Amino acid sequence: MWDQVWDEIFTANEWGKYPPEELIRFVARNYYQAQDRSQVKFLEVGSGTGANLWYLAREGFSVTGIDGSSVACQRAQERLSMEHLTGEFVTGDIVKLPFQDRIFDCVIDQECIYANTYADSKKIIKEIFRVLKPGGRFFMKTFMVGTTGGLRLNCGLIRLTSEQEIPDLCDGFIIESIDYSLRSEKNRAYEIKELIVIGRKPE
């Protein structure tokens, strides 16, 4: 469940403005060949201040974001509007998505679901499955067991995921790939490990 402390974080901090390389690569490989990008619909859960959806909107895709923080949604909308880009940002609870069945081509989780219990994470992913079109894809980048730092503390629940949990978490999805990213920070004082999972809803 979303923690109100994120409103304070988004208000007090300048957030990242650019998407991660792994997401750009995923989008390029799977969606750049679309004949009409405006017909490809992306949803991001935990969209924050909109870095990923800003990139997708610039590339011509249709974008929707949902976040528990009204501050984040407002900042995301302002950023797109400043560049004459369009997108929809909804303040809401990702455990019960306020969208119809089978309307999105792709759903993105860029380190949002990890801030939920395991039980709620399964509910969220079940909701993602519901709103995806048959054949739609789910991109999840989430902190991995073995991470020793780099997480925001005092901002609610933190749950690290193991590779062995993926089939259960993503029940119903065809898992196309499971990769990981590993980096160190603060002169190798700690390691940040992230799982990158791509699932596809059966046709």
Side-chain angles (χ1 to χ4, degrees):
M1 298 294 288
W2 176 79
D3 193 306
Q4 191 166 344
V5 72
W6 286 101
D7 260 350
E8 300 169 14
I9 292 171
F10 287 127
T11 300
N13 294 273
E14 181 61 48
W15 208 251
K17 289 187 175 182
Y18 303 99
E21 180 181 351
E22 296 88 355
L23 177 62
I24 295 172
R25 186 181 300 116
F26 163 75
V27 173
R29 287 174 176 172
N30 291 283
Y31 299 103
Y32 272 14
Q33 300 304 314
Q35 290 186 346
D36 184 355
R37 292 187 183 182
S38 68
Q39 296 302 306
V40 180
K41 297 181 179 181
F42 281 85
L43 169 67
E44 181 174 16
V45 294
S47 49
T49 54
N52 298 321
L53 297 184
W54 165 82
Y55 150 69
L56 288 165
R58 282 175 60 94
E59 290 295 326
F61 298 106
S62 172
V63 301
T64 302
I66 181 169
D67 200 285
S69 169
S70 60
V71 173
C73 289
Q74 180 180 350
R75 292 185 66 178
Q77 191 69 71
E78 289 171 353
R79 183 179 185 192
L80 266 66
S81 297
M82 284 178 61
E83 297 192 26
H84 306 290
L85 300 170
T86 59
E88 179 185 11
F89 294 90
V90 178
T91 302
D93 187 351
I94 64 172
V95 175
K96 188 170 178 58
L97 295 174
F99 306 111
Q100 297 177 359
D101 296 354
R102 302 184 298 277
I103 61 170
F104 293 103
D105 296 284
C106 183
V107 179
I108 297 166
D109 164 38
Q110 169 65 31
E111 289 166 349
C112 164
I113 296 177
Y114 86 97
N116 291 269
T117 66
Y118 190 87
D120 278 347
S121 295
K122 289 195 67 173
K123 292 177 184 176
I124 294 164
I125 294 173
K126 186 175 181 180
E127 280 287 276
I128 288 170
F129 188 93
R130 177 183 65 79
V131 302
L132 273 171
K133 297 176 182 177
R137 286 185 170 85
F138 171 41
F139 174 94
M140 178 172 67
K141 187 176 181 187
T142 191
F143 291 110
M144 182 179 180
V145 168
T147 295
T148 58
L151 300 171
R152 282 186 175 269
L153 304 178
N154 303 318
C155 62
L157 177 68
I158 292 174
R159 180 186 54 78
L160 304 180
T161 300
S162 70
E163 181 176 342
Q164 291 72 30
E165 291 172 325
I166 296 301
D168 182 58
L169 270 175
C170 299
D171 185 39
F173 281 96
I174 298 167
I175 303 300
E176 294 190 330
S177 62
I178 302 176
D179 291 295
Y180 65 86
S181 171
L182 170 64
R183 70 180 190 273
S184 62
E185 289 192 359
K186 306 294 184 184
N187 197 28
R188 292 172 289 176
Y190 52 77
E191 291 185 332
I192 299 172
K193 299 180 178 182
E194 297 159 302
L195 281 168
I196 302 153
V197 181
I198 298 172
R200 178 168 52 86
K201 183 174 180 176
E203 298 280 356

